[in-house]
Amino acid sequence: MTAFSTEIKIAGVTFKNPVMNASGTFGNGREYAELLDLSKLGAIVTKGVSLTPWEGNPTPRVAETPSGMLNAIGLQNPGIDKFIDRELPFLEEVRSSGTRVIVNVCGHSVDEYVSVIERLSDKPVDMLEINVSCPNVKEGAIAFGQDPDMLRDVTKACKSAAKQPVIMKLTPNVTDIKALAKAAEDGGADAISLINTITGMKIDVEKKRFLLANRTGGLSGPAIHPVAVRMVYEAAHAVDIPVIGMGGVISGNDALEMILAGASAVAVGTATFHDPDAMIRIIGEIGEYMEKHAVTDINELVGAVS
Ligand SMILES: Cc1cc2nc3c(=O)[nH]c(=O)nc-3n(C[C@H](O)[C@H](O)[C@H](O)COP(=O)(O)O)c2cc1C
């Protein structure tokens, strides 16, 4: 048996392994504490947190699709103050085991992002992930993520307010992901993560109605994985900052594809809905691959595709 290290570093923060949940698909970890050992995860990423409570979109908000799902939750959350009171103490406990805590931030305006970031400045949080890519919020958020100039500016504003390293989460709903990745890097981002969901639509032909009340929703799950791998590859080659890859990862093999394409870490989202233990299984499968291929340090695999 070969000894191997799965430790990775992003913006000076060390992770015990490169596997974390994707925001919005794992609650804030607490709901899953009885189902899996959270201390085995590289990090826990919270649901999107905004300045004030958001109600989210009307129901139905989720629909199954071939090899995936559509969601239009609309970033429902209780707001930063309740998050700090109710959720952070539990996350602090998990953090004491060495699992990193990343807070995902959403907002309608640059000022809202900045206010949330400021309230987290003295809190036990390792990194901030800024969601400028949610396709389900009408005012603002997607526009920030789709226009390179706006993305650069919002990144700068977030960076100057932040005490923790900042990850900008990119949308795949653009023609040129490289331009967006570069804009985030130019704005001072410490890392980027991608992909968020791909905008989709589903229609019930019998009822001649949209399946989601919001009409459109974000497609996630295995259906988007090859698109995500391509975008991670393109983004990773466009910038020098670390990349966190996600989109349809359900196995160690999928995670390794992301890593070989250039991701330093991988997030698992929709997979957890049908297999709550998916992340733990994926960590094990990455280890098996490393043993089989005598890889002693996971960092050797980052971007190693040829
Ligand atoms: C139900 C649901 C809720 C989500 N909520 C958020 C969120 O709050 N913030 C965010 O940045 N991304 C959110 N996402 C996007 C995921 O974090 C991830 O980028 C996307 O689902 C692709 O990964 P996957 O195919 O492994 O699910 C959500 C996705 C789903 C399915």
Side-chain angles (χ1 to χ4, degrees):
M1 194 167 128
T2 341
F4 59 84
S5 165
T6 56
E7 205 173 274
I8 57 132
K9 222 180 216 187
I10 297 178
V13 179
T14 303
F15 295 72
K16 58 180 94 173
N17 65 61
V19 178
M20 61 188 77
N21 67 284
S23 175
T25 62
F26 197 57
N28 288 316
R30 196 157 29 146
E31 298 89 323
Y32 285 86
E34 281 180 15
L35 297 172
L36 63 141
D37 181 354
L38 300 177
S39 74
K40 293 221 164 89
L41 303 178
I44 291 186
V45 184
T46 71
K47 283 166 75 161
V49 186
S50 53
L51 182 59
T52 53
W54 285 8
E55 274 186 20
N57 289 322
T59 55
R61 311 197 280 192
V62 290
E64 218 174 306
T65 63
S67 292
M69 65 180 279
L70 281 171
N71 94 83
I73 305 291
L75 298 176
Q76 180 175 10
N77 81 94
I80 185 66
D81 293 333
K82 288 207 177 86
F83 170 82
I84 289 171
D85 284 353
R86 292 184 195 165
E87 306 293 334
L88 213 47
F90 172 77
L91 290 168
E92 190 173 7
E93 243 175 73
V94 180
R95 189 170 176 258
S96 65
S97 73
T99 293
R100 299 303 184 177
V101 171
I102 301 176
V103 176
N104 182 284
V105 178
C106 53
H108 295 117
S109 66
V110 177
D111 287 349
E112 283 189 21
Y113 283 108
V114 166
S115 299
V116 175
I117 290 169
E118 283 172 352
R119 280 180 215 208
L120 291 167
S121 63
D122 60 348
K123 297 293 180 283
V125 168
D126 295 292
M127 297 185 92
L128 305 168
E129 181 179 55
I130 314 298
N131 179 10
V132 282
S133 51
C134 180
N136 304 318
V137 178
K138 291 192 179 69
E139 305 132 287
I142 189 93
F144 290 129
Q146 285 178 324
D147 178 288
D149 292 332
M150 283 173 86
L151 177 60
R152 188 177 310 108
D153 289 349
V154 73
T155 306
K156 268 188 201 158
C158 292
K159 263 305 280 179
S160 46
K163 292 281 181 287
Q164 296 93 346
V166 167
I167 306 160
M168 297 305 287
K169 182 163 179 178
L170 307 183
T171 176
N173 300 308
V174 293
T175 315
D176 182 8
I177 196 70
K178 299 186 286 299
L180 271 299
K182 276 195 208 122
E185 184 178 48
D186 290 349
D190 297 286
I192 51 174
S193 59
L194 70 162
I195 62 175
N196 209 316
T197 53
I198 299 176
T199 307
M201 181 181 276
K202 194 168 161 72
I203 292 169
D204 180 332
V205 292
E206 291 304 323
K207 295 186 183 145
K208 298 185 186 139
R209 290 177 69 100
F210 297 105
L211 267 162
L212 298 176
N214 193 53
R215 300 189 177 186
T216 60
L219 182 65
S220 62
I224 70 169
H225 182 65
V227 178
V229 173
R230 187 264 298 173
M231 288 196 159
V232 163
Y233 176 82
E234 288 183 352
H237 284 77
V239 297
D240 292 323
I241 51 178
V243 173
I244 301 171
M246 70 195 84
V249 172
I250 63 165
S251 67
N253 201 78
D254 296 336
L256 285 155
E257 271 190 76
M258 289 286 184
I259 292 170
L260 291 169
S264 298
V266 176
V268 178
T270 303
T272 295
F273 292 138
H274 66 88
D275 175 10
D277 211 34
M279 284 184 277
I280 303 296
R281 177 175 47 76
I282 288 168
I283 292 166
E285 288 168 3
I286 292 173
E288 284 164 23
Y289 175 94
M290 291 177 72
E291 276 194 356
K292 182 173 159 205
H293 295 271
V295 178
T296 51
D297 181 353
I298 189 118
N299 293 287
E300 290 167 28
L301 298 174
V302 176
V305 67
S306 61

